[in-house]
Amino acid sequence: QVQLQESGPGLVKPSETLSLTCTVSGGSISSYYWSWIRQPAGKGLEWIGRIYTSGSTNYNPSLKSRVTMSVDTSKNQFSLKLSSVTAADTAVYYCARDSGMGASPWGQGTLVTVSS
Amino acid sequence: EIVMTQSPATLSVSPGERATLSCRASQSVSSNLAWYQQKPGQAPRLLIYGASTRATGIPARFSGSGSGTEFTLTISSLQSEDFAVYYCQQYNNRGTFGQGTKVEIK
């Protein structure tokens, strides 16, 4: 079955750019949307955005100015960049497959802390 | 941006009882509504999509209903493994989550 795994630095300095990659295994990345969702400690889920394998994107309007997503079909990976981070961006970041009928499956999540 | 509002924030239920969770959208999302279950330290799990279709492997005690702006998730007879936080998400226009409902043991 399809599995997703997030990877990237666990600590990012304020004002810098957060970069994460999600590797898809057990299936092709083609012909699906792929999403990023985050969750601050003890809080709810926030949808960051999604990318189709063609490169088409949809972003959360509140984050749009700072978010860039990309996809590398040759590596079965997609990526998230979030610029100008602050402590408010500290969260567990999840990647997930979006089939247009909800998000499933999800990666296990990776904690990113913004701190100097 | 579509705002999703869940109620109640916390629901105290005894094992074996029925739980009813609500989710309201600020504008119509048709039937483009999903429900997720999240347990501590775990990623969310898709339960329901299309407002009422159970995802693969989800027990029949979970059911979803509604369309437009009003949605309900019902757990017919709560099992010990069902105590968790539940989120709704609209995917009609981008994707927005509700703030969650915690189902706790009474």
Side-chain angles (χ1 to χ4, degrees):
Chain A
Q1 71 279 21
V2 174
Q3 294 184 312
L4 289 78
Q5 178 68 59
E6 305 90 349
S7 60
L11 181 64
V12 181
K13 290 182 168 53
S15 80
E16 295 189 345
T17 296
L18 177 161
S19 295
L20 295 174
T21 295
C22 184
T23 300
V24 179
S25 59
S28 173
I29 198 172
S30 297
S31 304
Y32 282 102
Y33 278 99
W34 301 90
S35 295
W36 289 97
I37 300 110
R38 69 181 183 179
Q39 185 173 37
K43 296 188 177 181
L45 301 168
E46 181 179 30
W47 186 81
I48 300 172
R50 65 180 186 177
I51 185 166
Y52 194 66
T53 47
S54 65
S56 171
T57 55
N58 301 115
Y59 297 146
N60 184 325
S62 68
L63 298 170
K64 184 177 182 178
S65 64
R66 299 194 292 130
V67 171
T68 302
M69 294 183 184
S70 60
V71 61
D72 187 337
T73 54
S74 67
K75 295 182 179 179
N76 249 28
Q77 293 177 334
F78 61 104
S79 298
L80 168 70
K81 291 186 184 299
L82 182 65
S83 64
S84 306
V85 297
T86 69
D89 295 309
T90 294
V92 174
Y93 285 75
Y94 295 100
C95 59
R97 186 177 69 181
D98 179 351
S99 63
M101 298 181 291
S104 182
W106 293 54
Q108 65 185 24
T110 187
L111 174 63
V112 179
T113 302
V114 179
S115 175
S116 55
Chain B
E1 182 184 356
I2 300 175
V3 177
M4 307 301 292
T5 304
Q6 291 185 241
S7 61
T10 303
L11 187 61
S12 298
V13 186
S14 299
E17 289 189 340
R18 183 186 195 92
T20 302
L21 290 66
S22 296
C23 176
R24 175 178 293 179
S26 60
Q27 63 189 79
S28 177
V29 298
S30 187
S31 294
N32 296 314
L33 190 286
W35 290 94
Y36 301 86
Q37 177 193 67
Q38 187 179 35
K39 297 179 181 179
Q42 296 184 15
R45 177 176 69 146
L46 178 66
L47 297 176
I48 300 284
Y49 64 90
S52 61
T53 302
R54 280 189 303 277
T56 302
I58 301 304
R61 63 181 182 273
F62 291 92
S63 63
S65 64
S67 65
T69 62
E70 300 284 344
F71 301 89
T72 300
L73 174 69
T74 301
I75 311 171
S76 60
S77 177
L78 272 159
Q79 307 298 302
S80 58
E81 62 267 30
D82 300 336
F83 292 96
V85 179
Y86 292 83
Y87 294 94
C88 63
Q89 182 204 21
Q90 68 81 17
Y91 50 90
N92 190 63
N93 182 353
R94 298 182 176 84
T96 320
F97 289 93
Q99 79 278 22
T101 291
K102 181 180 181 180
V103 177
E104 64 176 24
I105 300 174
K106 186 175 182 180

